[in-house]
Amino acid sequence: GYNMAKQVDIVALGELLIDFTEAGQSKDGRRLFEQNPGGAPANLLTVASHMGYSTAFIGKVGADMHGAFLKKTLEKEGISTDTIIEDPDYFTTLAFVAIDESGEREFSFARKPGADTQLTKEELDRRLLSDCRIFHFGSLSLTNEPARETTMEAATIAKGAGAVISYDPNYRATLWSSEAEAAENMKSMIPYADVMKVSDEESLLLTGETTYEAAADKLLAMGPKLIAVTLGSEGVLMATKEKKERIKGFSVQSVDTTGAGDSFWGGTLSAYLSLEKPIESLTWEEIHHCAVCGNATAALCVQKRGGIPAIPTKEEVEQMLTEKLC
C-alpha cells in the first residue's frame, strides 16, 4: 500500500562529483575551468529540497577538498548528508566539461577509480532505504563494482519496503567500454523501476527503436509504470501503457543545459509527491500536471550556468506556472 508515514520523501544514491566546467580564458589565452558541484542524483535532490521535501543522499566522496566542498554544498541545500562517506583511499570523482558553440557538453572524467564507484553494500543505511517514499538512482553507479552491486542491493531494499523506485539511465559514453555494454548494463536495472526518465538519445540507444513513442512502448514492456522521454527544448514525451503524449516545453534562452534533465525529473517527482497517491492511480491530467511542473523547473535551470547553482527556487517555479496559466 501507499505509505505516507515514511520519514524521508526522496533518497538518492549515486555519484557526487565536481564538474570542472569551461569558463572562458585566462589573460594568456589558456582555458579556465570553474569548480561546479555536480552529479545527477544531487541535482535532482536539490530540486526536491527547494520544493520543500525532505531528502537524503547516499554516496561516497574522497577525504579531500572536493569531497568537503560537495558535502557542504548539499548541506546548504538542505539535503541530509549523514550517509555520505568520505573515503581516505580514493579521490573525489572529477568531470572536465568542455562546452561547444551550441551549448552541448563534452566530458572527460578523472575516475580510475573515483570515490563514487567505491561504495560497498556494507556501507548502506538499510533503515534509511526502508524509510523513504521515493528511491532514485542513475546509471553512473552501474559502471564499476562495487558501486554496481551496491546500487542493486539498495534498490532491492527500498522496493521491498514499498518505495517508488525512480531510475535515470544517464548515458556518458566515455565511462563504458562500448555502447553495447552500456545499453546492456543500463537495461538490467529497468525492471526494478516504477518510474523512469530517459533522454531522447538514451531511449533509442536502450531500445534500438527509431521513434521515441516506439522506444517508450519497449521500455514500458520491461516493467516501469511511467516513462518520461525528455526532448530537449521540445519538452517531454510522457508515456504509460494506456496513453502517450508530447508535452511542450517553455521557450527560453538556454545558457547551459547542465542539470536540465535532473531539474525536469526533480520537478516532476516533487509534483507527484504532492498528489500523495500511488503511480498507478494517477489520472492523465495529474501526469500532465507533473510534467508541466518538470518543464518549468528545467526551463529555469537552463537559463543559468552550472547544475546545483542553477536550480530554481519554489517561488520561481510557481511564478512560471502561474504565468503559463494566465
Side-chain angles (χ1 to χ4, degrees):
Y2 192 69
N3 190 354
M4 279 302 301
K6 303 237 172 186
Q7 292 302 301
V8 183
D9 294 310
I10 308 187
V11 169
L13 175 148
E15 70 278 10
L16 197 51
L17 46 83
I18 303 291
D19 284 324
F20 278 109
T21 317
E22 207 177 325
Q25 293 191 336
S26 71
K27 282 204 293 288
D28 303 337
R30 287 193 288 274
R31 281 199 285 189
L32 294 173
F33 287 86
E34 181 176 54
Q35 180 200 36
N36 283 307
N43 295 339
L44 178 135
L45 288 185
T46 301
V47 174
S49 186
H50 285 193
M51 296 301 176
Y53 292 100
S54 59
T55 58
F57 191 93
I58 298 175
K60 186 174 270 196
V61 293
D64 49 54
M65 65 156 85
H66 300 304
F69 168 64
L70 287 164
K71 221 173 148 174
K72 201 152 91 209
T73 301
L74 264 54
E75 277 157 12
K76 223 168 57 207
E77 298 296 346
I79 299 162
S80 168
T81 59
D82 296 348
T83 46
I84 292 178
I85 294 164
E86 292 169 282
D87 192 323
D89 296 327
Y90 301 96
F91 202 74
T92 300
T93 298
L94 310 177
F96 292 85
V97 191
I99 299 174
D100 68 16
E101 290 72 57
S102 67
E104 281 310 306
R105 298 163 301 152
E106 183 202 334
F107 292 87
S108 183
F109 286 90
R111 194 183 189 231
K112 291 178 181 176
D116 74 294
T117 65
Q118 299 303 304
L119 187 69
T120 67
K121 287 198 286 205
E122 294 68 41
E123 289 165 329
L124 288 173
D125 183 330
R126 308 177 89 86
R127 193 192 51 77
L128 175 64
L129 289 163
S130 305
D131 208 13
C132 58
R133 292 169 66 190
I134 295 176
F135 172 70
H136 174 79
F137 68 98
S139 69
L140 263 70
S141 53
L142 305 177
T143 58
N144 301 80
E145 296 294 6
R148 179 183 160 75
E149 64 169 18
T150 306
T151 305
M152 293 167 83
E153 175 82 356
T156 304
I157 295 166
K159 200 172 178 73
V164 171
I165 308 299
S166 161
Y167 177 37
D168 169 15
N170 200 357
Y171 180 54
R172 295 283 176 264
T174 54
L175 294 178
W176 300 92
S177 60
S178 71
E179 207 171 90
E181 186 218 11
E184 193 180 323
N185 273 285
M186 284 156 63
K187 275 204 300 226
S188 70
M189 291 306 287
I190 297 175
Y192 286 78
D194 297 299
V195 294
M196 180 172 158
K197 190 260 313 168
V198 282
S199 72
D200 38 15
E201 290 155 14
E202 287 157 0
S203 72
L204 306 182
L205 170 75
L206 289 172
T207 60
E209 293 292 346
T210 51
T211 72
Y212 305 128
E213 279 76 8
D217 281 335
K218 206 172 233 187
L219 294 170
L220 286 162
M222 297 179 202
K225 302 166 184 140
L226 175 68
I227 304 269
V229 182
T230 56
L231 308 172
S233 58
E234 294 296 296
V236 64
L237 168 69
M238 298 299 279
T240 64
K241 286 196 168 70
E242 288 70 50
K243 185 173 165 128
K244 285 190 283 295
E245 185 189 354
R246 291 192 182 209
I247 298 165
K248 278 203 108 39
F250 293 73
S251 56
V252 294
Q253 197 56 50
S254 169
V255 179
D256 178 10
T257 59
T258 305
D262 309 320
S263 285
F264 163 77
W265 198 228
T268 301
L269 291 179
S270 294
Y272 162 69
L273 282 171
S274 73
L275 298 170
E276 303 191 353
K277 58 202 288 193
I279 297 290
E280 53 273 26
S281 310
L282 294 174
T283 65
W284 194 260
E285 287 68 34
E286 288 169 331
I287 290 170
H288 187 280
H289 160 77
C290 290
V292 172
C293 292
N295 282 343
T297 312
L300 288 159
C301 170
V302 300
Q303 295 179 68
K304 289 187 184 160
R305 293 200 0 183
I308 288 176
I311 306 277
T313 64
K314 184 178 185 177
E315 292 66 39
E316 288 171 325
V317 175
E318 283 172 350
Q319 188 186 349
M320 188 156 210
L321 291 167
T322 317
E323 283 165 10
K324 184 182 165 129
L325 299 174
C326 297

